[in-house]
Amino acid sequence: MVSIPKKVMDLIADRESIKAVVSSDASNQPHAIVAGSIIAIDDKTMAVGEILMKRTKSNLSVNKKASFLVVKGMEAYTIDVEVLDRQTSGPGIDQMNQALKPMKLHANALWVFKVTAVYDSGATPSAGTRIA
């Protein structure tokens, strides 16, 4: 099983990092969105709140594979994931919505993923290298 390295976990947790999710439809047409609600539940599991995610929701329903991109300055990582669950109730979605409340946002669901690979995507000579 793949574990997210600590430096990547730190960047995911950094409120100033930019986060995006890339999904694909049944014909493999990619679709990317900014998704500030991306979190690491632990070093093997990630999640994102379903906020205004109509096309992404549809894509994840038919194609369980996706990627997260996390960037800050020259540091960037791509995290490949696979859908485990879509939660519409429970402590995970409640906790997500509590964190979103000050921003006047609401997640209709919480998508939970297992991590399948992590790549260095920064502006460095090691860009494209699999690190987990």
Side-chain angles (χ1 to χ4, degrees):
M1 207 175 233
V2 175
S3 295
I4 303 169
K6 182 182 180 331
K7 64 184 177 182
V8 180
M9 293 285 284
D10 290 345
L11 191 62
I12 294 166
D14 188 330
R15 290 182 161 233
E16 294 181 14
S17 66
I18 298 167
K19 301 174 188 99
V21 60
V22 180
S23 61
S24 298
D25 63 17
S27 64
N28 291 319
Q29 178 63 45
H31 174 67
I33 61 168
V34 173
S37 65
I38 293 171
I39 60 168
I41 295 172
D42 57 42
D43 67 349
K44 294 173 181 33
T45 315
M46 294 189 65
V48 63
E50 185 182 295
I51 308 163
L52 307 171
M53 289 175 55
K54 294 174 188 162
R55 192 163 158 197
T56 301
K57 174 186 173 185
S58 175
N59 288 352
L60 293 174
S61 297
V62 296
N63 185 343
K64 304 298 182 193
K65 293 183 179 184
S67 289
F68 295 129
L69 177 66
V70 183
V71 180
K72 184 175 180 185
M74 305 268 286
E75 186 178 13
Y77 302 98
T78 300
I79 303 134
D80 290 346
V81 295
E82 190 170 326
V83 174
L84 288 173
D85 193 19
R86 179 179 179 266
Q87 302 172 357
T88 56
S89 64
I93 187 69
D94 292 345
Q95 191 173 21
M96 174 67 69
N97 279 322
Q98 193 63 30
L100 293 170
K101 194 173 187 176
M103 295 174 274
K104 298 183 178 170
L105 295 172
H106 178 80
N108 295 317
L110 183 71
W111 288 88
V112 181
F113 305 84
K114 73 174 177 179
V115 175
T116 59
V118 181
Y119 296 88
D120 183 338
S121 296
T124 67
S126 62
T129 302
R130 184 173 176 161
I131 59 174

